[in-house]
Amino acid sequence: MTTTYSDIPLTRPATPLLDRIDSPAQLRALPESELEQVADELRAYLLYSVGQSGGHFGAGLGVVELTIALHYAFNTPDDRLVWDVGHQTYPHKILTGRREELLTIRHRDGLAGFPNRSESEYDPFGVGHSSTSLSAALGMAIGSAMDQNLDGQPGRRCVAVIGDGAMTAGMAFEAINHIAHVDLDMLVVLNDNNMSISKSVGGLATYFSKLWSSKLYNLFRESTKTLLKAFPSTSGLVRKTEELMKALVAPGIVFEELGFTYIGPIDGHNIPLLVHTLENLKQVTGPVLLHVATQKGKGFSPAEEDPIGYHALNKIPTPTRETPAPQPSDASKQPKYQQIFGDWLCDMAADHPELIAITPAMSEGSGMVEFAERFPQQFHDVAIAEQHAVTLAAGIACEGKKPVVAIYSTFLQRAYDQLIHDVALQNLDVLFAIDRAGLVGEDGATHAGSFDISFMRCIPNMVIMAPADENEARQMLYTGYIHIGPAAVRYPRGTGPGVTIEQAMTALPIGKGRLSRQGQQVAILNFGALLPTALSVGEELDASVADMRFIKPLDTELLDQLAADHTLIVTLEENAIAGGAGAGVSEYFAQRGIVVAVLHLGLPDIFIDHATHDAQIVTAGLDEATISERIKARLLKT
Ligand SMILES: Cc1ncc(C[n+]2csc(CCOP(=O)(O)OP(=O)(O)O)c2C)c(N)n1
């Protein structure tokens, strides 16, 4: 029985058994009868630790028992355990020698929020984006089979753990198709909690729900004890086991048809059942899919009741630590860019019935919850399916409607061909609201929106805008909406400088920037959210500062004028320098034969690890002091 907590401990709970587990081998040395206690202590420690550090929450709580059972049954790290997305791996990190460091998770120089190959040998695959686990684990299974053929030893087992949300992505389907074809030994654990970040949507979710509520599952639950007795846990009675398992397979199960041995659904919080099932599955050859039913937020009542709100948790602030008041993350009242987008969407939809908003499973993060409630007919959550989201928008645009694709910069990477081939090449009328542009802080490099300017700027027909403040964001969204053709507005995570937002919507002239400060000698050309920094540096150095607004088309008139009046042009953006907006400026000068000194400031050619956004900005050399130093140093050479 899982212990259910209702408070987050503010002092470290006693975890005598867990404290003795510094590696999965030590876990495996325990008698099975002690695993329930390990689960209780692990959950208590997880609650305490995430309360101290902040971080992903509900998904980890839901896989405490599954994580224990997997490490107990499999010989990790030799056997490969590949977690999908990786936001649920805090229990895995605790059991794999990172218990004490968990308090540093997502902090600078601390543990990463996701599995990371350079962090631990127990993390065989780095992750952060969803639905990669099946392909990666299949690749490992192929490698393992090759080694096995060489030395004749039994191969390493390869296990992928994938959520029902992640299972909705094209990549997962592609891998399932190929796994059946390759037909190697491989275990896929489907961790089905009926939740993505929001409620899981789509035909697959409905199908899983049917399996859950099927007579078969109830029968299975009731006869668990008998089944456990019948499962030989260590013997090699493969045939008997397979026959028994076949009996559990519902006729017509999709996965069976696709070439998997399908088992389940089984209770993902029942450790003995999990351990015995996994032990037995080791005897089964070929691809196996074990369907495990879990509850997101399990064992912490507020998260069980509100799994969406408790997907992640903010660190409990020190002054209030005496009064435990766990807050789901994003509880702050400050208007963020995400809210500005959501408000704009509602305001537009009220007058524009042709508006169709699309999200690939990120309606909360993208600020679309109110819109979804008020305009359900104009809202499509397509599940974790970025490629589909973009081509769906293209199709909608073909019918004279106006799709707005709300998508994080990092996840748009998945849909690059769709952006080029399906939208831009056909010059279709789609607006992209690109969220989390630039560095994103604690989620780290996997989630950074570092590349969208570079990868969009080279695509014909695109109009690309970057607001410097909240009001520009609103007006740019409107500008992109009424523009006919593909347009993108890229805005950062969190809050802006706090300017007044005009309710009235006014289209900006396409390809026109504005001079924010007139100075001399140096002109800082700012693209996007770093304008306040640019203005401070401008004050210090008496430099001109332009809010360029458009990355494409560039305001060439303004460029001509600034190049003529200044000795140094500095471009500033929170995007990779390589191929970024600054590169566009230099290309323009080169084409026109304008000779002027140019300094590009942006994200350097490295992946920037998790830390606060401010710390990441310092790492990138984009803080005020460093920018000022770099400009002064460059001036000395001009
Ligand atoms: C390609 C991609 N799109 C979106 C996300 C954002 N995201 C992180 S977790 C998550 C939900 C995953 O649901 P599921 O696989 O069921 O795992 P659970 O959280 O329920 O354990 C989403 C959409 C992502 N990580 N990667």
Side-chain angles (χ1 to χ4, degrees):
M1 264 295 284
T2 304
T3 307
T4 300
Y5 299 85
S6 51
D7 290 314
I8 294 186
L10 298 178
T11 52
R12 189 177 174 134
T15 53
L17 191 51
L18 188 68
D19 293 349
R20 287 180 10 221
I21 301 170
D22 291 321
S23 73
Q26 288 169 332
L27 175 78
R28 290 191 282 271
L30 296 176
E32 207 185 300
S33 56
E34 291 194 323
L35 296 184
E36 299 274 2
Q37 193 190 331
V38 175
D40 275 352
E41 293 185 12
L42 181 48
R43 194 166 265 117
Y45 180 70
L46 184 63
L47 290 171
Y48 162 72
S49 182
V50 184
Q52 299 293 307
S53 62
H56 286 108
F57 194 60
L61 284 169
V63 295
V64 166
E65 289 80 11
L66 179 60
T67 308
I68 291 169
L70 283 165
H71 282 293
Y72 198 73
F74 287 94
N75 185 31
T76 53
D78 285 348
D79 288 344
R80 310 297 196 225
L81 182 54
V82 182
W83 294 91
D84 207 276
V85 184
H87 62 313
Q88 75 289 59
T89 51
Y90 294 24
H92 162 81
K93 293 199 183 210
I94 292 171
L95 291 178
T96 53
R98 289 169 275 181
R99 183 182 61 246
E100 301 307 317
E101 288 169 278
L102 197 73
L103 290 157
T104 69
I105 200 160
R106 292 159 56 92
H107 291 229
R108 188 179 193 165
D109 301 325
L111 293 184
F114 303 97
N116 188 318
R117 277 173 66 82
S118 59
E119 190 178 286
S120 168
E121 60 179 337
Y122 293 93
D123 295 356
F125 200 67
V127 68
H129 287 200
S130 85
S131 319
T132 59
S133 61
L134 304 191
S135 304
L138 177 60
M140 290 171 194
I142 289 172
S144 167
M146 288 169 78
D147 291 346
Q148 184 181 5
N149 291 342
L150 287 179
D151 63 15
Q153 295 297 311
R156 299 176 294 274
R157 294 192 178 83
C158 297
V159 181
V161 186
I162 183 165
D164 55 305
M167 192 64 116
T168 56
M171 267 199 84
F173 283 98
E174 290 167 30
I176 285 174
N177 188 46
H178 190 212
I179 289 167
H181 175 71
V182 176
D183 198 27
L184 285 172
D185 296 350
M186 178 180 161
L187 173 63
V188 174
V189 178
L190 171 61
N191 170 33
D192 183 3
N193 55 22
N194 207 12
M195 295 291 297
S196 187
I197 292 178
S198 328
K199 201 103 185 97
S200 285
V201 294
L204 204 62
T206 313
Y207 175 67
F208 289 158
S209 304
K210 276 191 199 146
L211 288 181
W212 263 82
S213 55
S214 70
K215 281 194 190 132
L216 178 85
Y217 175 51
N218 293 326
L219 184 101
F220 184 76
R221 252 198 327 202
E222 275 154 32
S223 53
T224 295
K225 281 199 190 118
T226 330
L227 285 163
L228 282 177
K229 272 193 211 133
F231 273 169
S233 62
T234 48
S235 83
L237 295 173
V238 180
R239 167 98 45 96
K240 193 172 175 214
T241 311
E242 280 188 352
E243 275 170 14
L244 214 135
M245 288 174 169
K246 279 265 153 63
L248 302 177
V249 171
I253 292 286
V254 168
F255 295 106
E256 276 282 316
E257 300 292 333
L258 287 168
F260 282 77
T261 300
Y262 171 90
I263 312 293
I266 67 164
D267 179 357
H269 300 296
N270 181 334
I271 295 181
L273 176 61
L274 285 169
V275 169
H276 286 223
T277 307
L278 291 169
E279 285 294 350
N280 279 286
L281 288 178
K282 288 191 204 167
Q283 319 285 330
V284 181
T285 54
V288 177
L289 189 134
L290 173 63
H291 189 171
V292 171
T294 61
Q295 182 179 11
K296 203 163 178 171
K298 178 78 175 174
F300 181 59
S301 45
E304 287 183 1
E305 280 153 33
D306 178 14
I308 298 177
Y310 282 89
H311 179 74
L313 190 76
N314 281 336
K315 168 182 171 159
I316 300 174
T318 315
T320 61
R321 287 207 180 154
E322 294 76 47
T323 46
Q327 288 287 311
S329 65
D330 273 355
S332 135
K333 292 278 170 285
Q334 269 182 285
K336 298 179 173 165
Y337 278 102
Q338 292 61 46
Q339 190 182 329
I340 289 153
F341 168 67
D343 291 348
W344 170 81
L345 207 54
C346 290
D347 293 348
M348 280 304 283
D351 294 332
H352 293 268
E354 78 289 352
L355 183 157
I356 307 279
I358 299 169
T359 173
M362 299 304 287
S363 65
E364 277 82 20
S366 297
M368 300 167 85
V369 173
E370 186 190 338
F371 177 84
E373 274 167 22
R374 285 180 53 197
F375 302 95
Q377 304 302 327
Q378 289 165 262
F379 172 75
H380 290 276
D381 178 348
V382 299
I384 310 179
E386 288 81 8
Q387 297 165 313
H388 167 62
V390 173
T391 305
L392 175 76
I396 289 171
C398 290
E399 296 304 309
K401 311 290 177 218
K402 181 82 190 207
V404 179
V405 180
I407 192 161
Y408 287 19
S409 167
T410 190
F411 301 142
L412 180 57
Q413 291 164 193
R414 275 265 163 102
Y416 193 42
D417 182 54
Q418 288 71 13
L419 178 60
I420 297 174
H421 178 270
D422 300 334
V423 176
L425 180 60
Q426 307 190 81
N427 201 18
L428 288 171
D429 194 10
V430 179
L431 173 62
F432 293 88
I434 301 181
D435 193 353
R436 291 352 186 234
L439 298 168
V440 293
E442 291 77 3
D443 274 343
T446 54
H447 285 58
S450 309
F451 309 111
D452 60 89
I453 291 183
S454 309
F455 70 66
M456 287 194 299
R457 201 173 63 75
C458 54
I459 305 175
N461 292 334
M462 291 291 303
V463 169
I464 310 168
M465 294 168 261
D469 60 45
E470 298 88 338
N471 189 48
E472 265 189 11
R474 180 173 169 91
Q475 307 309 337
M476 282 180 180
L477 287 163
Y478 179 67
T479 308
Y481 189 88
I482 61 165
H483 170 74
I484 296 171
V489 181
R490 57 132 31 205
Y491 47 87
R493 174 176 181 238
T495 50
V499 305
T500 309
I501 300 165
E502 292 160 25
Q503 270 304 111
M505 296 195 229
T506 317
L508 302 173
I510 300 274
K512 284 287 157 206
R514 69 185 175 104
L515 199 59
S516 305
R517 183 181 193 283
Q518 181 67 60
Q520 46 192 336
Q521 203 180 8
V522 177
I524 304 174
L525 277 52
N526 174 73
F527 295 87
L530 292 173
L531 185 66
T533 310
L535 285 169
S536 300
V537 176
E539 281 299 316
E540 183 198 332
L541 304 180
D542 190 22
S544 296
V545 177
D547 170 12
M548 294 301 291
R549 290 181 167 167
F550 287 80
I551 291 140
K552 189 175 182 177
L554 280 167
D555 185 345
T556 51
E557 217 178 305
L558 186 56
L559 290 184
D560 290 346
Q561 181 201 321
L562 293 172
D565 297 346
H566 298 81
T567 47
L568 176 63
I569 299 289
V570 179
T571 62
L572 184 60
E573 64 195 301
E574 211 172 310
N575 183 86
I577 292 172
V585 170
S586 286
E587 285 162 18
Y588 171 73
F589 288 151
Q591 295 294 339
R592 290 294 300 266
I594 296 170
V595 179
V596 60
V598 182
L599 172 64
H600 293 151
L601 299 179
L603 302 178
D605 196 17
I606 53 168
F607 288 108
I608 296 181
D609 280 340
H610 53 281
T612 61
H613 182 258
D614 285 352
Q616 289 182 322
I617 284 286
V618 171
T619 305
L622 295 177
D623 57 298
E624 255 172 64
T626 312
I627 289 176
S628 163
E629 285 312 312
R630 290 168 77 180
I631 294 176
K632 284 186 225 159
R634 188 69 173 76
L635 267 179
L636 292 176
K637 293 187 196 158
T638 41

